[in-house]
Protein backbone atom coordinates (compact mmCIF):
# COMPACT_ATOMS: atom_id res chain seq x y z
CA UNK A 1 0.00 0.00 0.00
CA UNK A 2 1.33 3.46 -0.79
CA UNK A 3 0.83 6.52 1.38
CA UNK A 4 -2.29 7.64 -0.47
CA UNK A 5 -3.95 4.24 -0.15
CA UNK A 6 -3.19 4.45 3.57
CA UNK A 7 -4.92 7.81 3.81
CA UNK A 8 -7.94 6.52 1.90
CA UNK A 9 -8.22 3.50 4.20
CA UNK A 10 -7.83 5.68 7.31
CA UNK A 11 -10.48 8.10 6.10
CA UNK A 12 -12.83 5.23 5.28
CA UNK A 13 -12.29 3.61 8.68
CA UNK A 14 -13.58 6.81 10.30
CA UNK A 15 -16.53 7.09 7.93
CA UNK A 16 -17.51 3.46 8.59
CA UNK A 17 -17.15 3.84 12.36
CA UNK A 18 -19.26 7.01 12.33
CA UNK A 19 -21.94 5.65 10.00
CA UNK A 20 -22.21 1.94 10.81
CA UNK A 21 -24.14 -0.34 8.46
CA UNK A 22 -24.64 2.33 5.78
CA UNK A 23 -23.04 0.27 3.02
CA UNK A 24 -24.13 2.29 0.00
CA UNK A 25 -22.99 5.49 1.71
CA UNK A 26 -19.56 3.96 2.39
CA UNK A 27 -19.37 2.87 -1.25
CA UNK A 28 -20.25 6.34 -2.59
CA UNK A 29 -17.77 8.08 -0.26
CA UNK A 30 -14.96 5.71 -1.18
CA UNK A 31 -15.56 6.21 -4.89
CA UNK A 32 -15.22 9.98 -4.42
CA UNK A 33 -12.29 10.13 -2.01
CA UNK A 34 -10.17 7.88 -4.22
CA UNK A 35 -10.11 10.84 -6.62
CA UNK A 36 -10.06 13.64 -4.04
CA UNK A 37 -7.39 12.51 -1.56
CA UNK A 38 -4.63 12.49 -4.25
CA UNK A 39 -5.90 15.91 -5.42
CA UNK A 40 -5.63 17.28 -1.85
CA UNK A 41 -1.90 16.49 -1.80
CA UNK A 42 -1.39 19.41 -4.18
CA UNK A 43 -4.13 21.54 -2.58
CA UNK A 44 -3.44 21.49 1.18
CA UNK A 45 -5.76 24.43 1.96
CA UNK A 46 -8.74 22.06 1.82
CA UNK A 47 -7.07 19.61 4.22
CA UNK A 48 -6.30 22.29 6.77
CA UNK A 49 -9.97 23.28 6.91
CA UNK A 50 -11.10 19.61 7.03
CA UNK A 51 -13.35 20.21 4.03
CA UNK A 52 -13.63 16.53 3.07
CA UNK A 53 -14.46 15.50 6.65
CA UNK A 54 -17.20 18.14 6.67
CA UNK A 55 -18.56 17.10 3.27
CA UNK A 56 -19.28 13.53 4.40
CA UNK A 57 -21.34 14.82 7.34
CA UNK A 58 -24.87 15.98 6.40
CA UNK A 59 -25.78 19.49 7.50
CA UNK A 60 -29.04 18.03 8.78
CA UNK A 61 -30.96 14.73 8.73
CA UNK A 62 -34.71 14.66 9.28
CA UNK A 63 -36.50 11.36 10.02
CA UNK A 64 -40.22 11.24 10.65
CA UNK A 65 -43.19 8.90 10.85
CA UNK A 66 -45.81 8.85 8.11
CA UNK A 67 -49.13 7.34 9.23
CA UNK A 68 -51.86 6.86 6.60
CA UNK A 69 -55.05 4.87 6.05
CA UNK A 70 -55.41 2.35 3.18
CA UNK A 71 -58.50 1.61 1.06
CA UNK A 72 -59.66 -1.03 3.55
CA UNK A 73 -59.69 1.53 6.34
CA UNK A 74 -56.59 0.01 7.97
CA UNK A 75 -53.86 2.16 9.56
CA UNK A 76 -50.46 1.95 7.87
CA UNK A 77 -47.10 3.36 8.94
CA UNK A 78 -44.02 4.27 6.94
CA UNK A 79 -40.84 6.18 7.65
CA UNK A 80 -39.99 9.46 5.91
CA UNK A 81 -36.54 11.04 5.45
CA UNK A 82 -34.91 14.20 4.18
CA UNK A 83 -31.13 14.49 4.08
CA UNK A 84 -29.99 18.12 3.80
CA UNK A 85 -26.41 17.39 2.82
CA UNK A 86 -24.75 20.60 1.69
CA UNK A 87 -26.00 24.13 1.00
CA UNK A 88 -22.64 25.84 0.25
CA UNK A 89 -23.55 26.79 -3.33
CA UNK A 90 -27.35 26.98 -3.17
CA UNK A 91 -30.48 25.63 -1.47
CA UNK A 92 -30.64 21.84 -0.96
CA UNK A 93 -31.86 20.16 -4.12
CA UNK A 94 -32.47 16.50 -4.89
CA UNK A 95 -35.22 13.97 -5.42
CA UNK A 96 -37.53 11.92 -3.25
CA UNK A 97 -37.46 8.12 -3.61
CA UNK A 98 -40.41 5.90 -2.63
CA UNK A 99 -39.26 2.27 -2.60
CA UNK A 100 -39.36 -0.49 0.04
CA UNK A 101 -35.53 -0.64 0.08
CA UNK A 102 -35.17 3.02 1.14
CA UNK A 103 -33.13 3.52 4.31
CA UNK A 104 -30.80 6.12 5.79
CA UNK A 105 -27.65 4.74 4.13
CA UNK A 106 -29.17 4.71 0.64
CA UNK A 107 -30.47 8.25 0.98
CA UNK A 108 -27.13 9.50 2.37
CA UNK A 109 -25.32 7.97 -0.61
CA UNK A 110 -27.75 9.67 -2.97
CA UNK A 111 -27.50 13.02 -1.14
CA UNK A 112 -23.69 12.85 -1.15
CA UNK A 113 -23.61 12.13 -4.90
CA UNK A 114 -26.10 14.93 -5.45
CA UNK A 115 -23.75 17.55 -3.97
CA UNK A 116 -21.10 16.83 -6.64
CA UNK A 117 -23.63 16.41 -9.42
CA UNK A 118 -25.37 19.70 -8.71
CA UNK A 119 -22.04 21.49 -8.58
CA UNK A 120 -21.13 20.06 -12.01
CA UNK A 121 -24.28 21.54 -13.58
CA UNK A 122 -22.84 25.05 -12.87
CA UNK A 123 -26.24 26.06 -11.44
CA UNK A 124 -26.58 27.39 -7.86
CA UNK A 125 -27.92 24.24 -6.17
CA UNK A 126 -26.79 22.51 -2.99
CA UNK A 127 -27.39 18.80 -2.44
CA UNK A 128 -30.11 16.83 -0.68
CA UNK A 129 -32.22 13.70 -1.04
CA UNK A 130 -35.19 12.15 0.70
CA UNK A 131 -37.99 9.66 0.46
CA UNK A 132 -39.69 6.80 2.20
CA UNK A 133 -39.84 3.02 2.41
CA UNK A 134 -43.42 3.32 1.07
CA UNK A 135 -43.99 1.15 -2.02
CA UNK A 136 -46.32 2.82 -4.56
CA UNK A 137 -46.44 -0.43 -6.59
CA UNK A 138 -49.86 -2.07 -6.33
CA UNK A 139 -51.37 0.90 -4.43
CA UNK A 140 -54.46 2.71 -5.69
CA UNK A 141 -54.30 6.41 -6.65
CA UNK A 142 -56.27 7.13 -3.50
CA UNK A 143 -53.74 5.32 -1.31
CA UNK A 144 -50.84 7.10 -2.98
CA UNK A 145 -52.63 10.40 -2.34
CA UNK A 146 -53.28 9.59 1.32
CA UNK A 147 -49.66 8.61 1.87
CA UNK A 148 -48.13 11.59 0.02
CA UNK A 149 -50.40 14.04 1.85
CA UNK A 150 -49.30 12.67 5.20
CA UNK A 151 -45.66 12.68 4.06
CA UNK A 152 -45.87 16.33 2.99
CA UNK A 153 -47.69 17.37 6.18
CA UNK A 154 -44.40 16.83 8.01
CA UNK A 155 -41.92 17.58 5.21
CA UNK A 156 -43.37 21.05 4.57
CA UNK A 157 -41.79 22.41 7.78
CA UNK A 158 -38.32 21.68 6.46
CA UNK A 159 -38.46 22.76 2.80
CA UNK A 160 -39.12 25.95 0.82
CA UNK A 161 -38.36 27.58 -2.54
CA UNK A 162 -35.19 29.18 -1.08
CA UNK A 163 -34.37 26.42 1.43
CA UNK A 164 -34.82 22.94 -0.02
CA UNK A 165 -36.53 21.96 -3.28
CA UNK A 166 -37.31 18.23 -3.63
CA UNK A 167 -38.11 16.51 -6.95
CA UNK A 168 -38.88 12.96 -8.19
CA UNK A 169 -36.77 9.79 -8.21
CA UNK A 170 -37.63 6.06 -8.20
CA UNK A 171 -41.35 5.70 -7.42
CA UNK A 172 -41.97 9.45 -7.50
CA UNK A 173 -43.28 10.75 -10.80
CA UNK A 174 -45.69 13.50 -11.76
CA UNK A 175 -48.63 11.88 -9.93
CA UNK A 176 -46.77 11.90 -6.60
CA UNK A 177 -45.30 15.38 -7.15
CA UNK A 178 -48.84 16.63 -7.93
CA UNK A 179 -50.36 15.30 -4.69
CA UNK A 180 -47.42 16.61 -2.65
CA UNK A 181 -47.55 20.03 -4.29
CA UNK A 182 -51.29 20.26 -3.63
CA UNK A 183 -50.81 19.45 0.04
CA UNK A 184 -47.91 21.92 0.42
CA UNK A 185 -50.07 24.66 -1.08
CA UNK A 186 -52.98 23.90 1.25
CA UNK A 187 -50.76 24.02 4.31
CA UNK A 188 -48.65 27.06 3.41
CA UNK A 189 -51.08 29.07 1.28
CA UNK A 190 -48.33 29.90 -1.20
CA UNK A 191 -47.78 28.99 -4.84
CA UNK A 192 -44.01 28.76 -5.15
CA UNK A 193 -41.40 26.62 -6.91
CA UNK A 194 -40.94 24.42 -3.82
CA UNK A 195 -40.97 21.18 -5.84
CA UNK A 196 -39.70 20.49 -9.36
CA UNK A 197 -41.04 17.99 -11.85
CA UNK A 198 -44.40 19.78 -11.66
CA UNK A 199 -47.07 19.54 -14.38
CA UNK A 200 -46.80 22.11 -17.18
CA UNK A 201 -50.08 23.80 -16.21
CA UNK A 202 -48.93 24.38 -12.63
CA UNK A 203 -45.38 25.61 -12.84
CA UNK A 204 -43.50 22.76 -14.50
CA UNK A 205 -40.90 23.11 -17.22
CA UNK A 206 -41.00 21.69 -20.70
CA UNK A 207 -38.42 18.91 -21.14
CA UNK A 208 -38.09 18.23 -17.36
CA UNK A 209 -39.64 14.74 -17.65
CA UNK A 210 -37.29 13.95 -20.54
CA UNK A 211 -34.20 15.66 -19.13
CA UNK A 212 -32.32 12.86 -17.34
CA UNK A 213 -32.61 10.39 -20.22
CA UNK A 214 -31.94 13.03 -22.88
CA UNK A 215 -28.95 14.37 -20.95
CA UNK A 216 -27.56 10.86 -20.63
CA UNK A 217 -27.73 10.38 -24.41
CA UNK A 218 -26.11 13.80 -24.98
CA UNK A 219 -23.32 12.84 -22.59
CA UNK A 220 -22.75 9.49 -24.37
CA UNK A 221 -22.55 11.38 -27.65
CA UNK A 222 -19.86 13.73 -26.22
CA UNK A 223 -17.86 10.78 -24.88
CA UNK A 224 -18.05 8.92 -28.19
CA UNK A 225 -16.93 12.06 -30.05
CA UNK A 226 -13.58 11.91 -28.24
CA UNK A 227 -12.95 8.62 -30.12
CA UNK A 228 -14.28 9.93 -33.45
CA UNK A 229 -17.57 8.04 -33.04
CA UNK A 230 -21.25 8.84 -32.39
CA UNK A 231 -24.48 7.06 -31.40
CA UNK A 232 -25.45 6.78 -35.08
CA UNK A 233 -25.69 3.07 -35.92
CA UNK A 234 -24.78 1.95 -32.38
CA UNK A 235 -26.60 -0.90 -30.67
CA UNK A 236 -27.55 0.24 -27.16
CA UNK A 237 -28.55 -1.87 -24.12
CA UNK A 238 -30.66 0.05 -21.61
CA UNK A 239 -31.87 -1.22 -18.23
CA UNK A 240 -34.98 0.00 -16.42
CA UNK A 241 -38.20 1.09 -18.08
CA UNK A 242 -39.08 4.09 -15.92
CA UNK A 243 -38.60 7.79 -16.43
CA UNK A 244 -34.88 7.78 -17.16
CA UNK A 245 -34.86 4.66 -19.35
CA UNK A 246 -37.85 5.77 -21.45
CA UNK A 247 -36.36 9.13 -22.36
CA UNK A 248 -32.90 7.68 -22.91
CA UNK A 249 -34.55 5.41 -25.51
CA UNK A 250 -36.22 8.42 -27.12
CA UNK A 251 -33.04 10.51 -27.51
CA UNK A 252 -30.73 7.61 -28.43
CA UNK A 253 -33.19 6.70 -31.20
CA UNK A 254 -33.38 10.31 -32.41
CA UNK A 255 -29.58 10.36 -32.56
CA UNK A 256 -29.53 7.27 -34.78
CA UNK A 257 -28.86 4.53 -32.19
CA UNK A 258 -30.86 1.31 -31.83
CA UNK A 259 -32.05 0.36 -28.34
CA UNK A 260 -32.29 -3.44 -27.99
CA UNK A 261 -33.16 -3.98 -24.29
CA UNK A 262 -35.35 -2.63 -21.48
CA UNK A 263 -35.98 -4.14 -18.06
CA UNK A 264 -37.74 -3.95 -14.72
CA UNK A 265 -37.06 -5.69 -11.43
CA UNK A 266 -38.41 -9.01 -12.82
CA UNK A 267 -36.32 -9.36 -15.99
CA UNK A 268 -35.44 -7.84 -19.36
CA UNK A 269 -36.74 -7.81 -22.91
CA UNK A 270 -34.45 -8.27 -25.92
CA UNK A 271 -35.70 -6.78 -29.16
CA UNK A 272 -32.98 -7.06 -31.84
CA UNK A 273 -35.11 -4.99 -34.24
CA UNK A 274 -34.93 -2.05 -31.82
CA UNK A 275 -37.42 -0.16 -29.62
CA UNK A 276 -38.71 2.38 -32.15
CA UNK A 277 -41.01 5.37 -31.63
CA UNK A 278 -44.21 3.31 -31.77
CA UNK A 279 -42.92 0.65 -29.37
CA UNK A 280 -41.70 3.34 -26.97
CA UNK A 281 -45.19 4.89 -26.94
CA UNK A 282 -46.48 1.44 -25.94
CA UNK A 283 -43.89 1.18 -23.12
CA UNK A 284 -44.85 4.63 -21.82
CA UNK A 285 -48.53 3.72 -21.74
CA UNK A 286 -47.73 0.33 -20.17
CA UNK A 287 -45.48 1.75 -17.43
CA UNK A 288 -46.87 5.23 -16.73
CA UNK A 289 -50.62 4.66 -17.15
CA UNK A 290 -51.40 0.95 -16.83
CA UNK A 291 -48.48 0.44 -14.40
CA UNK A 292 -47.83 -2.99 -15.94
CA UNK A 293 -44.72 -5.18 -16.25
CA UNK A 294 -42.15 -5.08 -19.05
CA UNK A 295 -42.66 -8.74 -20.11
CA UNK A 296 -45.97 -7.62 -21.64
CA UNK A 297 -43.85 -5.92 -24.35
CA UNK A 298 -42.73 -9.35 -25.59
CA UNK A 299 -46.28 -10.61 -25.90
CA UNK A 300 -47.11 -7.60 -28.05
CA UNK A 301 -43.96 -7.47 -30.18
CA UNK A 302 -43.04 -11.16 -30.17
CA UNK A 303 -39.50 -10.97 -28.87
CA UNK A 304 -37.43 -12.60 -26.14
CA UNK A 305 -38.01 -12.08 -22.40
CA UNK A 306 -35.30 -13.13 -19.95
CA UNK A 307 -36.65 -13.60 -16.44
CA UNK A 308 -34.54 -12.70 -13.41
CA UNK A 309 -31.56 -11.31 -15.35
CA UNK A 310 -30.17 -7.89 -16.23
CA UNK A 311 -29.55 -6.91 -19.88
CA UNK A 312 -25.74 -6.95 -19.72
CA UNK A 313 -25.46 -10.40 -21.32
CA UNK A 314 -26.65 -8.97 -24.64
CA UNK A 315 -24.17 -7.93 -27.35
CA UNK A 316 -24.11 -4.12 -27.63
CA UNK A 317 -21.82 -1.17 -28.40
CA UNK A 318 -23.13 1.09 -25.65
CA UNK A 319 -24.65 0.24 -22.25
CA UNK A 320 -26.86 2.61 -20.28
CA UNK A 321 -27.82 1.33 -16.82
CA UNK A 322 -30.95 3.36 -15.97
CA UNK A 323 -32.64 1.34 -13.17
CA UNK A 324 -30.96 1.37 -9.76
CA UNK A 325 -27.75 1.15 -7.68
CA UNK A 326 -25.37 -1.82 -8.03
CA UNK A 327 -27.25 -3.35 -10.97
CA UNK A 328 -24.06 -3.93 -12.99
CA UNK A 329 -21.36 -6.04 -11.33
CA UNK A 330 -17.85 -7.04 -12.33
CA UNK A 331 -19.05 -10.16 -14.19
CA UNK A 332 -21.48 -8.04 -16.17
CA UNK A 333 -18.66 -5.59 -16.93
CA UNK A 334 -16.45 -8.43 -18.20
CA UNK A 335 -19.25 -9.77 -20.41
CA UNK A 336 -19.95 -6.32 -21.83
CA UNK A 337 -16.28 -5.75 -22.65
CA UNK A 338 -15.91 -9.21 -24.23
CA UNK A 339 -19.02 -8.52 -26.31
CA UNK A 340 -17.50 -5.34 -27.78
CA UNK A 341 -19.12 -2.66 -25.63
CA UNK A 342 -17.05 0.56 -25.85
CA UNK A 343 -19.09 3.02 -23.81
CA UNK A 344 -21.03 2.82 -20.52
CA UNK A 345 -23.13 5.84 -19.55
CA UNK A 346 -24.86 5.73 -16.17
CA UNK A 347 -28.43 7.04 -16.23
CA UNK A 348 -29.07 5.65 -12.74
CA UNK A 349 -27.18 6.64 -9.58
CA UNK A 350 -24.22 4.34 -8.79
CA UNK A 351 -25.50 1.43 -10.94
CA UNK A 352 -21.99 -0.01 -11.43
CA UNK A 353 -20.20 -1.69 -8.54
CA UNK A 354 -16.67 -0.43 -7.68
CA UNK A 355 -15.08 -3.58 -9.16
CA UNK A 356 -17.03 -3.09 -12.41
CA UNK A 357 -15.85 0.54 -12.60
CA UNK A 358 -12.22 -0.50 -12.04
CA UNK A 359 -12.50 -3.01 -14.89
CA UNK A 360 -14.00 -0.42 -17.24
CA UNK A 361 -11.23 2.06 -16.41
CA UNK A 362 -8.49 -0.56 -16.78
CA UNK A 363 -9.83 -1.47 -20.23
CA UNK A 364 -10.12 2.20 -21.28
CA UNK A 365 -13.86 1.88 -21.83
CA UNK A 366 -15.57 5.26 -22.08
CA UNK A 367 -17.19 5.24 -18.64
CA UNK A 368 -19.52 8.13 -17.69
CA UNK A 369 -20.40 8.02 -13.97
CA UNK A 370 -23.94 8.95 -12.96
CA UNK A 371 -23.01 12.16 -11.20
CA UNK A 372 -21.93 13.54 -14.59
CA UNK A 373 -24.01 11.53 -17.08
CA UNK A 374 -27.40 11.83 -15.36
CA UNK A 375 -27.01 15.44 -14.17
CA UNK A 376 -29.35 16.65 -16.92
CA UNK A 377 -32.37 15.90 -14.73
CA UNK A 378 -31.40 18.10 -11.84
CA UNK A 379 -30.00 20.71 -14.22
CA UNK A 380 -33.41 21.04 -15.84
CA UNK A 381 -34.97 21.15 -12.38
CA UNK A 382 -32.67 24.15 -11.88
CA UNK A 383 -34.08 25.63 -15.09
CA UNK A 384 -37.60 24.98 -13.75
CA UNK A 385 -36.68 26.91 -10.58
CA UNK A 386 -35.43 29.85 -12.68
CA UNK A 387 -38.66 29.91 -14.72
CA UNK A 388 -40.71 29.81 -11.48
CA UNK A 389 -38.70 32.74 -10.08
CA UNK A 390 -39.05 34.94 -13.16
CA UNK A 391 -42.64 33.73 -13.65
CA UNK A 392 -42.07 32.96 -17.30
CA UNK A 393 -41.89 29.72 -19.26
CA UNK A 394 -39.30 28.94 -21.91
CA UNK A 395 -40.05 27.02 -25.12
CA UNK A 396 -39.17 23.36 -25.60
CA UNK A 397 -36.31 24.34 -27.94
CA UNK A 398 -34.89 26.85 -25.43
CA UNK A 399 -34.91 24.36 -22.55
CA UNK A 400 -33.48 21.52 -24.62
CA UNK A 401 -30.73 23.78 -25.97
CA UNK A 402 -29.80 24.86 -22.43
CA UNK A 403 -29.81 21.20 -21.30
CA UNK A 404 -27.57 20.26 -24.21
CA UNK A 405 -25.14 23.10 -23.41
CA UNK A 406 -25.01 22.03 -19.77
CA UNK A 407 -24.18 18.41 -20.70
CA UNK A 408 -21.45 19.61 -23.10
CA UNK A 409 -20.03 21.79 -20.31
CA UNK A 410 -20.10 18.92 -17.80
CA UNK A 411 -18.16 16.88 -20.32
CA UNK A 412 -15.62 19.72 -20.64
CA UNK A 413 -15.23 19.84 -16.85
CA UNK A 414 -14.61 16.08 -16.77
CA UNK A 415 -12.01 16.53 -19.49
CA UNK A 416 -10.33 19.40 -17.63
CA UNK A 417 -9.90 17.47 -14.39
CA UNK A 418 -9.79 13.91 -15.73
CA UNK A 419 -7.50 13.95 -18.79
CA UNK A 420 -4.62 11.52 -18.28
CA UNK A 421 -1.12 11.56 -19.73
CA UNK A 422 -2.09 9.01 -22.44
CA UNK A 423 -4.88 11.34 -23.66
CA UNK A 424 -7.74 9.22 -22.26
CA UNK A 425 -10.30 10.90 -20.04
CA UNK A 426 -10.95 9.37 -16.63
CA UNK A 427 -14.51 10.64 -16.17
CA UNK A 428 -14.71 9.33 -12.60
CA UNK A 429 -11.78 11.46 -11.51
CA UNK A 430 -12.89 14.39 -13.67
CA UNK A 431 -16.43 14.45 -12.27
CA UNK A 432 -15.33 14.01 -8.66
CA UNK A 433 -12.68 16.74 -8.68
CA UNK A 434 -14.73 19.05 -10.93
CA UNK A 435 -17.71 18.75 -8.57
CA UNK A 436 -15.60 19.07 -5.43
CA UNK A 437 -13.65 22.27 -6.18
CA UNK A 438 -16.61 24.64 -6.43
CA UNK A 439 -18.29 23.37 -3.25
CA UNK A 440 -15.01 23.25 -1.31
CA UNK A 441 -14.11 26.84 -2.30
CA UNK A 442 -17.58 28.04 -1.25
CA UNK A 443 -17.21 26.28 2.11
CA UNK A 444 -13.79 27.83 2.66
CA UNK A 445 -15.19 31.28 1.87
CA UNK A 446 -18.15 30.84 4.24
CA UNK A 447 -16.10 29.89 7.31
CA UNK A 448 -17.66 27.52 9.83
CA UNK A 449 -20.28 25.89 7.62
P1 LIG B 1 -38.63 5.04 -12.05
O1 LIG B 1 -39.29 4.70 -10.78
O2 LIG B 1 -39.35 5.83 -13.07
O3 LIG B 1 -38.10 3.71 -12.76
C1 LIG B 1 -37.21 2.85 -12.11
C2 LIG B 1 -36.93 1.66 -13.02
O4 LIG B 1 -35.89 0.88 -12.44
C3 LIG B 1 -38.14 0.73 -13.14
O5 LIG B 1 -38.10 0.09 -14.37
C4 LIG B 1 -37.90 -0.25 -12.00
O6 LIG B 1 -38.51 -1.52 -12.17
C5 LIG B 1 -36.40 -0.41 -12.05
N1 LIG B 1 -35.90 -0.74 -10.70
C6 LIG B 1 -36.07 -0.03 -9.56
N2 LIG B 1 -35.52 -0.66 -8.51
C7 LIG B 1 -34.98 -1.79 -9.02
C8 LIG B 1 -34.27 -2.86 -8.45
N3 LIG B 1 -33.98 -2.89 -7.14
N4 LIG B 1 -33.85 -3.86 -9.28
C9 LIG B 1 -34.12 -3.84 -10.61
N5 LIG B 1 -34.82 -2.84 -11.21
C10 LIG B 1 -35.23 -1.84 -10.43
O7 LIG B 1 -37.26 5.78 -11.61
P2 LIG B 1 -36.33 6.73 -12.48
O8 LIG B 1 -36.29 6.29 -13.88
O9 LIG B 1 -36.67 8.13 -12.15
O10 LIG B 1 -34.90 6.46 -11.78
C11 LIG B 1 -34.02 5.43 -12.24
C12 LIG B 1 -32.60 5.73 -11.75
O11 LIG B 1 -32.17 7.01 -12.24
C13 LIG B 1 -32.44 5.80 -10.22
O12 LIG B 1 -31.14 5.36 -9.87
C14 LIG B 1 -32.52 7.31 -9.95
O13 LIG B 1 -31.89 7.66 -8.74
C15 LIG B 1 -31.76 7.84 -11.16
N6 LIG B 1 -32.01 9.23 -11.50
C16 LIG B 1 -33.28 9.68 -11.76
C17 LIG B 1 -33.48 11.00 -12.11
C18 LIG B 1 -34.81 11.52 -12.52
O14 LIG B 1 -34.87 12.66 -13.00
N7 LIG B 1 -35.88 10.77 -12.40
C19 LIG B 1 -32.37 11.96 -12.11
C20 LIG B 1 -31.07 11.37 -11.91
C21 LIG B 1 -30.93 10.05 -11.59
P3 LIG B 1 -39.79 -1.91 -11.28
O15 LIG B 1 -40.93 -1.20 -11.90
O16 LIG B 1 -39.87 -3.39 -11.38
O17 LIG B 1 -39.49 -1.44 -9.87
Amino acid sequence: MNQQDDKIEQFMAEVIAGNPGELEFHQAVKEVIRSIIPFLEDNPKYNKAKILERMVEPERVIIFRVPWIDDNGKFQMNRGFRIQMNSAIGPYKGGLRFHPTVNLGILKFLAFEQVFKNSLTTLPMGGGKGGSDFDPKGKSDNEVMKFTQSFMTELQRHIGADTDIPAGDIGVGMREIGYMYGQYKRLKNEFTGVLTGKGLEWGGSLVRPQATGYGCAFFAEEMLKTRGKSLEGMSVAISGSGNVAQHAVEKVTQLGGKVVTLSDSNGFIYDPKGVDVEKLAYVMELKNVKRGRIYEYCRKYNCEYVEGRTPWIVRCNVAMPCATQNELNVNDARTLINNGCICVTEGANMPSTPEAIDLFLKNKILFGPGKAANAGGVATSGLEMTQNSIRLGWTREEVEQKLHNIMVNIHKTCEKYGKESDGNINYVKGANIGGFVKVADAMLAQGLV
Side-chain angles (χ1 to χ4, degrees):
M1 251 207 279
N2 64 30
Q3 220 188 352
Q4 269 173 12
D5 289 340
D6 261 353
K7 281 192 185 156
I8 292 167
E9 288 313 316
Q10 245 174 40
F11 192 93
M12 279 316 299
E14 279 171 34
V15 169
I16 292 166
N19 305 273
E22 297 174 5
L23 302 184
E24 291 83 0
F25 180 58
H26 306 161
Q27 182 183 335
V29 170
K30 188 159 186 187
E31 191 256 359
V32 166
I33 66 163
R34 282 168 70 189
S35 309
I36 304 297
I37 286 184
F39 174 75
L40 295 183
E41 296 277 298
D42 301 324
N43 298 275
K45 63 181 177 182
Y46 301 120
N47 262 339
K48 205 169 142 213
K50 287 210 183 309
I51 293 295
L52 204 49
E53 285 82 349
R54 288 197 241 167
M55 280 176 77
V56 299
E57 193 65 35
E59 287 178 19
R60 192 172 301 107
V61 173
I62 300 142
I63 302 184
F64 51 98
R65 69 167 172 246
V66 189
W68 57 282
I69 295 175
D70 69 18
D71 287 348
N72 298 320
K74 282 199 179 134
F75 276 86
Q76 301 288 344
M77 226 287 294
N78 286 92
R79 183 174 287 172
F81 301 85
R82 187 70 184 163
I83 318 294
Q84 298 184 331
M85 198 74 192
N86 196 307
S87 62
I89 62 168
Y92 311 107
K93 178 92 196 92
L96 296 170
R97 175 176 293 191
F98 293 167
H99 196 272
T101 56
V102 161
N103 60 36
L104 185 60
I106 287 185
L107 293 180
K108 277 170 70 179
F109 119 62
L110 289 163
F112 183 69
E113 288 274 299
Q114 197 79 46
V115 173
F116 293 80
K117 183 188 308 194
N118 293 3
S119 163
L120 283 170
T121 66
T122 70
L123 301 176
M125 299 181 291
K129 199 83 189 187
S132 172
D133 55 1
F134 172 77
D135 187 359
K137 239 183 270 169
K139 304 284 190 306
S140 69
D141 286 353
N142 183 54
E143 288 176 324
V144 171
M145 185 169 73
K146 289 275 166 55
F147 168 79
T148 48
Q149 287 180 338
S150 183
F151 181 83
M152 184 51 89
T153 301
E154 174 57 33
L155 188 67
Q156 53 90 20
R157 302 170 212 284
H158 311 288
I159 61 175
D162 294 318
T163 312
D164 183 352
I165 306 94
D169 190 73
I170 290 179
V172 179
M174 202 172 301
R175 174 182 61 170
E176 291 76 14
I177 294 286
Y179 294 152
M180 286 191 275
Y181 193 69
Q183 183 71 354
Y184 183 88
K185 207 156 47 65
R186 288 174 75 198
L187 294 167
K188 294 278 201 183
N189 198 24
E190 359 173 285
F191 194 106
T192 67
V194 66
L195 296 174
T196 58
K198 299 187 290 300
L200 258 190
E201 306 78 9
W202 38 281
S205 172
L206 283 161
V207 193
R208 174 59 188 95
Q210 293 84 355
T212 309
Y214 278 22
C216 194
F218 289 145
F219 198 79
E221 191 77 343
E222 289 306 302
M223 292 201 296
L224 288 164
K225 252 193 227 166
T226 65
R227 304 253 171 108
K229 296 185 161 51
S230 78
L231 280 167
E232 178 82 47
M234 292 275 175
S235 168
V236 182
I238 293 183
S239 65
S241 49
N243 173 280
V244 179
Q246 291 168 15
H247 297 104
V249 174
E250 189 162 81
K251 189 50 75 180
V252 165
T253 310
Q254 284 171 15
L255 292 171
K258 183 170 77 168
V259 175
V260 292
T261 66
L262 281 172
S263 71
D264 59 24
S265 48
N266 296 102
F268 78 89
I269 60 116
Y270 175 50
D271 184 351
K273 292 192 194 130
V275 183
D276 60 19
V277 174
E278 183 221 311
K279 293 170 181 173
L280 177 61
Y282 170 80
V283 172
M284 287 180 167
E285 172 80 12
L286 175 71
K287 284 288 171 181
N288 309 344
V289 182
K290 294 190 182 141
R291 302 189 186 272
R293 309 305 296 159
I294 199 65
Y295 67 77
E296 294 171 51
Y297 178 101
C298 293
R299 285 201 196 139
K300 176 133 177 97
Y301 294 111
N302 193 25
C303 64
E304 197 182 339
Y305 174 67
V306 184
E307 174 94 34
R309 297 292 300 268
T310 49
W312 318 125
I313 48 177
V314 160
R315 185 171 288 276
C316 64
N317 309 115
V318 176
M320 290 189 179
C322 295
T324 192
Q325 63 272 2
N326 293 326
E327 55 162 314
L328 193 164
N329 65 28
V330 68
N331 294 328
D332 300 322
R334 200 170 296 117
T335 310
L336 282 168
I337 296 168
N338 290 340
N339 278 338
C341 176
I342 56 166
C343 175
V344 178
T345 314
E346 294 189 329
N349 285 311
M350 208 167 76
S352 311
T353 63
E355 299 76 21
I357 297 175
D358 285 346
L359 198 67
F360 289 139
L361 296 182
K362 198 167 140 225
N363 284 274
K364 308 282 179 202
I365 301 296
L366 292 166
F367 174 74
K371 63 171 77 67
N374 72 35
V378 72
T380 309
S381 276
L383 301 177
E384 182 173 329
M385 287 162 66
T386 307
Q387 293 169 82
N388 291 162
S389 297
I390 61 175
R391 298 186 193 283
L392 282 175
W394 294 325
T395 63
R396 184 174 298 277
E397 290 71 27
E398 280 174 295
V399 181
E400 190 168 334
Q401 188 56 51
K402 287 184 205 302
L403 166 65
H404 187 254
N405 289 345
I406 288 171
M407 297 316 294
V408 170
N409 284 328
I410 294 175
H411 186 272
K412 282 191 186 138
T413 303
C414 291
E415 186 170 2
K416 177 175 169 191
Y417 291 104
K419 195 152 194 165
E420 310 217 291
S421 49
D422 62 1
N424 273 305
I425 302 169
N426 179 334
Y427 291 92
V428 174
K429 183 173 154 194
N432 286 338
I433 300 176
F436 172 82
V437 170
K438 187 174 163 194
V439 178
D441 285 343
M443 289 174 74
L444 277 182
Q446 290 169 23
L448 289 177
V449 295

